[in-house]
Amino acid sequence: MSASRDQPGTSKETSFEEFYVEVKEIEKRDSLLTPTQQIARLLRPGSTYFNLNPFEVLQIEHDAELADIKKRYRTLSLLVHPDKNPDNNERAQLAFDIVSRSWKILENDLTRKKCLEVYEEAKGRTDQMIAEKRKKLKKEGRPTEPIPEDDPVKYKHAIYVMVMKLFADMERRRQKLDQRDQEERKRKRETEIEEEERVKADREWQQNFEESRQSRVNSWQDFQSGAGKSKKTKKQKHMTGMMVPPKFKPETR
C-alpha cells in the first residue's frame, strides 16, 4: 500500500470514481456483502479516503434516520467481528475498529451534524460547478447543450466525489492542527524543564550558601582576631624599638 494512495487528498479524482463504481456494483449483487468482502472493502488499498466518511463506511445514506444507522452498524459490526472471523482475526479487528469509530461519530448529535454539513457543502459546490459549466456553454453559444450532471446518477456521483474531497480536506486540517498542537506542547514542556532546572540550581546555590554561612563567619572572626593580635604585636615592637633616654645620675665629687 503506497503512502500516496493512503494519505487523504493525494488521490486523483479517477480513484474516487473507480472505487465508487466498483463498490456500487458489488452492492447491487449483495446489499450486505459477505464478511470477507466487507473486510476487504474496508481495508482495500486507498480505503483510507473513504473511511473518513462514516456514512460510506456503514454503507448508508446520509439522510437516514439514527435508528436505521444503528441497525446498519449492528449488522455490519457482526459481519466483521474478530470472533466471527477466526481465520482472518487481525484484519477483522481492524475492520471492526473502523466500523465502531464510524458509529461513534454518527451516534453523537454534534459530530453527525458536522458530517451532514459536509454533504450540504458538497451539494452547494457541485451546484456551483454545474452553474459555471452552463455559463461557459452559454458564452460559447451552446446554452441548450446538456452536461453530464444532467443525469441524476452522475449528479449524485459528482456530489459523492466532492464529499470525499471535503472529508479529506478536513482530515488534513485536523492533522495539521494536531501537529501544531504537539509542537506547542513540546515547546511549552521544554520551557518548563528549563525553568525547573533554573529553580533547582538556585535552590542548590542557596542551600550551599546557607550551609557555608557559619564557616564564613568563623573565618571572618579568625581573620579579625588575627588582625588584632598582629596590630598589638607591631605596636609592642614599635614601642620596644624607640630610644629610651638614659637615667639621670647625680654627679659625684
Side-chain angles (χ1 to χ4, degrees):
M1 185 184 304
S2 64
S4 62
R5 297 188 66 183
D6 283 341
Q7 291 300 318
T10 58
S11 176
K12 294 181 179 179
E13 184 172 316
T14 53
S15 298
F16 290 113
E17 295 173 353
E18 291 171 357
F19 184 88
Y20 177 84
V21 172
E22 183 176 351
V23 169
K24 294 306 176 184
E25 287 178 352
I26 294 174
E27 289 175 351
K28 288 179 182 178
R29 295 197 304 267
D30 187 345
S31 61
L32 294 179
L33 303 181
T34 66
T36 300
Q37 287 174 317
Q38 285 289 5
I39 293 172
R41 177 183 71 89
L42 293 168
L43 301 180
R44 64 184 290 119
S47 61
T48 302
Y49 304 110
F50 310 100
N51 292 342
L52 294 173
N53 183 351
F55 293 106
E56 179 68 22
V57 170
L58 298 183
Q59 294 180 305
I60 195 165
E61 295 297 330
H62 69 281
D63 55 356
E65 297 292 333
L66 184 60
D68 294 331
I69 297 174
K70 185 175 183 179
K71 183 179 179 180
R72 177 59 183 164
Y73 157 69
R74 288 178 173 175
T75 300
L76 191 55
S77 63
L78 285 175
L79 280 175
V80 301
H81 197 284
D83 293 344
K84 302 291 184 180
N85 298 273
D87 296 334
N88 199 11
N89 186 275
E90 185 175 344
R91 283 171 58 80
Q93 182 64 59
L94 293 174
F96 180 79
D97 291 342
I98 292 169
V99 171
S100 298
R101 184 169 60 249
S102 295
W103 165 243
K104 288 180 180 179
I105 292 172
L106 295 181
E107 72 170 337
N108 182 281
D109 291 340
L110 180 60
T111 50
R112 186 173 71 256
K113 181 181 178 182
K114 289 183 178 179
C115 291
L116 292 175
E117 288 173 353
V118 171
Y119 275 85
E120 289 299 317
E121 183 178 352
K123 183 178 183 302
R125 290 195 182 192
T126 301
D127 290 343
Q128 182 180 358
M129 177 266 294
I130 292 174
E132 290 174 354
K133 283 186 177 181
R134 295 192 188 282
K135 184 178 180 180
K136 182 179 179 181
L137 289 174
K138 184 177 181 180
K139 187 176 181 180
E140 294 173 352
R142 300 178 294 166
T144 60
E145 183 175 326
I147 58 175
E149 289 77 16
D150 288 335
D151 183 340
V153 175
K154 291 184 178 180
Y155 174 70
K156 185 176 181 180
H157 173 61
I159 294 176
Y160 171 87
V161 173
M162 184 61 70
V163 165
M164 290 300 175
K165 287 182 176 180
L166 292 177
F167 271 111
D169 289 342
M170 288 172 59
E171 177 63 12
R172 284 200 305 272
R173 289 195 296 269
R174 185 195 66 77
Q175 291 177 357
K176 186 175 182 179
L177 289 173
D178 282 350
Q179 182 179 0
R180 186 183 304 170
D181 185 55
Q182 290 176 4
E183 291 173 352
E184 182 62 27
R185 288 201 303 268
K186 182 180 179 181
R187 285 195 296 268
K188 183 178 179 180
R189 182 54 188 156
E190 289 174 349
T191 302
E192 290 175 349
I193 291 175
E194 291 177 358
E195 180 64 16
E196 289 170 0
E197 291 177 347
R198 186 191 66 77
V199 171
K200 181 180 178 181
D202 289 347
R203 190 183 299 116
E204 290 177 351
W205 184 90
Q206 186 65 28
Q207 183 178 354
N208 293 334
F209 181 83
E210 294 296 333
E211 290 176 351
S212 62
R213 180 189 297 275
Q214 190 58 46
S215 176
R216 294 195 306 276
V217 171
N218 293 340
S219 297
W220 176 250
Q221 290 176 343
D222 292 343
F223 172 76
Q224 291 288 74
S225 177
K229 291 179 179 180
S230 176
K231 289 181 179 179
K232 186 176 181 181
T233 302
K234 287 181 179 180
K235 184 176 180 181
Q236 290 175 345
K237 287 182 178 180
H238 177 71
M239 294 298 294
T240 304
M242 290 178 64
M243 291 186 63
V244 181
K247 292 182 179 180
F248 177 77
K249 292 183 179 180
E251 183 178 351
T252 55
R253 295 183 180 179

